[in-house]
Amino acid sequence: INCCQMRLSVARLFRASRQLNNVVNGKWTTTHYTIKDRSKDPRWADVDMTRVTDEYDVVIVGGGPGGLSAAIRLRQLAEKAGKECRVCVVEKAAELGAHTLSGAVIETRALDELFPNWSELGAPVYQKVTAESIGILTEKGRIPVPIVPGVPLANHGNYIVRLGHLVKWLGEQAEAAGVEIYPGYAGAEVLYNEDGSVRGVATNDVGIAKDGSPKDSFERGMELHAKCTIFAEGCRGHLSKQVMNKFELKHHEMSYGIGIKELWQIDPAKHRPGYIEHTMGWPLTNTQYGGSFLYHIEGDDGAPLVSVGFVIALDYDNPHMNPYQEFQKYKTHPSIRKQLEGGKRLGYGARALNEGGFQTVPKLAFPGGCLIGCAAGLLNVAKLKGTHNAMKSGMVAAETIFPDLESNTTVTPTGYQPALNQTYVIKELKACRNIRPSFNSSLGMYGALAYSGLFYVIGRGMEPWTLQHGKPDNEKLKKKEAAKPIDYPKPDGKLTFDLLTSVSLTGTNHEENQPAHLTLLNDSVPVDVNLAQFGGPEAKFCPAGVYEFVPSEADPNQSRLQINAQNCIHCKTCDIKDPTQNINWVSPQGGEGPKYNGM
Amino acid sequence: LAVIQGRMRVLVGVKRVVDYAVKVRVKPDKTGVITEGVQHSINPFDEIALEEAVKLKEKKQATEVVAFSMGGAKCQEVLRTALAKGADKAIHVEISDEDVSKLEPLHVARTLRKIIENDKFDIVFLGKQAIDDDASQTGSLLAGMLNWPQALYASKVETDGQSLKVTREIDGGLDTIKVSLPAVLSADLRLNEPRYATLPNIMKAKKKPLEKKSAKDLGVDLAPQTTVLEVSEPPVRQAGGFVDDVSTLITRLKEKGFVKA
């Protein structure tokens, strides 16, 4: 296999090098058509740009728990009413679940509603939480935090799942219910009607060379028109971002975290199926929000698996911060090391997640469409759960859209947000709304614990005020001179690992000869601003080694940015944390990116 | 067998294999690699074979391209992709999951021969090898069984309708041969760059015919000829060392027995 893989990539390198490099005059140059307009490009003058179109009742962008729940609910309603209803789900991953990454401990309340008999139907939800603990880590020690009822991280009655497997199962149910699902095709462009309402989406073009010119194999994407388009792209979805700007849906910038996760098979003697633990504190400083999760789950063949991960809020101010390295460091803590030692790492991945909660949920409906799930910022960071909210929001969206499908040509789901406000989704978020921002005082973690203890555990979030998050995450970075560099230990190859070995576990790949999908609004900013003022934070916060600063070919004493787009695992952190928002993540060709299995 | 120009029928073998970007792991019982839940796709060399067959059709040298796959139920996904990429029809020989794990190139060759007995094809186009077993045997076995000429590791295929002119990649360079029809061909990497399966074509592929057959009905014996004794990961690469000069290098090489003292 090795010989062929090498020959495959060597051959592709040959073909790619025949084309123009992305580096022009010693500087990284963005060639993607979203930045370099093709209508003015002579190389595209004779290319036929017409697209095949198809009409649906509802098109859903994103085949995750939210999107699939919306699709299933629509078909359930259609079936019950004896009506036709064409529902289409497009998903950029090659298979459902391949881009899904989560802890995850879920509340089954949404699943219970969608499929009351989910257990008989064989849903891969079987590992009940049997024991739990919360701790505050210090460099060598651990202070236990009591779990009283009302503590947001109390998980009695919940299930540990491998979310990618649940997503795959939901996909099977959706297909059985008559949903048309197309994995391997990314939503690439939002389409609009004459009146400015959303008309649907177009999938990605294929066969564009690295330098932005059309290859012989160039094919246009397809237009999927719908009466209503549901955006279920997950956290910081790129089409959701556009739509939020176009319809001015945000009243407050969203706030995020990055979650990095590994799947381990540990020594069976150390395995306690159903045991979960969450920690805060070390290795983060008192004023850096974040923490870990560690869940013991039995694999379907009885394998002693552990899902372990670290979440770091992206409002950190130290540009030298490297979330991946913080995670590796965390694993060396005695209480964690003793669980993982002797085990084998099976998987690795990362994804940005929403932390803004109630304060940052935007307006959700707009002419011709709506946002659901994490694209709508519905994750409850205090509980560290977003799946049940994503599913429920999908179902509510479906329930408010369905009655209008018959009469209208374009459906604006005006009833969706009011209906959602009446559900546990928004009620929960409202009750937890002050927990995350309570961290932002100089008291840091201890302030948050005191606040949560008083106002959430006891007061149930009924305090009349709402704390704010402050500036957007990307604006909180200090200049590099104003921050302390951080020393990270070298990986030992058994418990901690180097970045590229980790990336290889994701199975990620992108066709080499295509424009980099990490686009820059201004090609000079990475060196002139990011590197000069902040020391190149993108080379530190990317959990896949996409960004590097290397000596420039034009002048070896100067640096230039190198974007290794092939490594990208679609986490969206760069899109969030770039100090001047210069990086705009767009979808690469469909079917690419990571190939997570049950992550 | 003389073939009238433009009437060739091509049978393309497409295998469902673990996706090449996935990091493969050995099963705990060491009988094979883990395939459950792991992402699969069409064997890259088979994609290239399919592309060449479809190109022959577009050049009006072939009239029909039929995709063939042998394996479990999920082979249908690979066949749908083949239909979306230009195949006209698909044949799925479905076998039980247990038989899949013991399937050998000999069985596939026998099955292909049975299919061809009942259905005339002028070219059987396979990928040069599958990236899971790297066996590279099916084409040769089939050619032997059918007593057909074989042109393997093709990097260029030309035809005048009567015979094929195939350029093959071999260790010493390029070997160009004239091959009469019918023939077995296998595709090497540089033969072409496969087209993408566009979404409209994926949708249309649902309506193209997909025929199911069983190995039993075809009368193919699936008894394994080989038993896998053990599958293990390659040894972990040991760290090397640096030396300062050539004489130290020679000393080290002698110490390790690579150079005679």
Side-chain angles (χ1 to χ4, degrees), chain A residues 124 411 484 506 518:
Chain A
V411 171
K484 230 174 65 163
T506 64
L518 295 324

Side-chain angles (χ1 to χ4, degrees), chain A residues 11-21 211, chain B residues 190 193:
Chain A
R12 287 197 171 141
L13 267 169
F14 280 157
R15 278 183 216 137
S17 64
R18 275 191 258 126
Q19 260 93 21
L20 252 187
N21 243 325
D211 65 359
Chain B
R190 276 160 281 273
E193 197 176 318

Side-chain angles (χ1 to χ4, degrees), chain A residues 521-599:
Chain A
L521 302 178
N522 179 332
D523 289 336
S524 302
V525 164
V527 172
D528 296 347
V529 176
N530 290 24
L531 186 61
Q533 295 179 19
F534 302 98
E538 58 266 61
K540 305 195 175 101
F541 60 56
C542 173
V546 169
Y547 300 98
E548 289 183 283
F549 285 93
V550 298
S552 164
E553 288 79 349
D555 176 0
N557 293 322
Q558 300 289 328
S559 297
R560 68 159 176 87
L561 180 65
Q562 166 69 23
I563 299 184
N564 304 311
Q566 275 189 293
N567 289 9
C568 181
I569 56 177
H570 299 206
C571 77
K572 314 298 175 62
T573 302
C574 57
D575 192 286
I576 294 166
K577 191 58 173 173
D578 182 270
T580 56
Q581 298 288 274
N582 192 43
I583 299 174
N584 191 42
W585 190 100
V586 299
S587 63
Q589 290 178 167
E592 299 182 344
K595 298 191 165 75
Y596 298 138
N597 176 9
M599 296 288 273

Side-chain angles (χ1 to χ4, degrees), chain B residues 103-208:
Chain B
L103 195 65
E104 294 167 10
L106 182 63
H107 306 137
V108 180
R110 283 180 183 155
T111 310
L112 281 166
R113 177 178 54 177
K114 282 287 175 181
I115 304 245
I116 292 164
E117 263 173 27
N118 303 322
D119 201 358
K120 183 176 162 309
F121 285 100
D122 303 290
I123 298 178
V124 176
F125 221 140
L126 307 172
K128 71 166 180 178
Q129 65 201 67
I131 63 171
D132 52 7
D133 57 20
D134 281 341
S136 191
Q137 295 169 21
T138 311
S140 305
L141 287 168
L142 181 64
M145 285 176 187
L146 295 170
N147 204 26
W148 285 10
Q150 59 181 325
L152 310 181
Y153 317 113
S155 66
K156 193 157 178 196
V157 174
E158 295 158 293
T159 174
D160 58 8
Q162 306 289 341
S163 59
L164 299 175
K165 183 169 135 191
V166 179
T167 306
R168 311 167 53 229
E169 292 197 11
I170 58 175
D171 286 345
L174 297 174
D175 174 37
T176 307
I177 56 177
K178 183 167 161 180
V179 178
S180 64
L181 296 170
V184 173
L185 265 55
S186 84
D188 206 328
L189 191 61
R190 276 160 281 273
L191 180 57
N192 59 51
E193 197 176 318
R195 68 195 61 197
Y196 300 91
T198 63
L199 185 51
N201 285 342
I202 287 273
M203 292 177 176
K204 284 186 211 150
K206 288 193 199 167
K207 304 197 183 92
K208 288 188 179 176

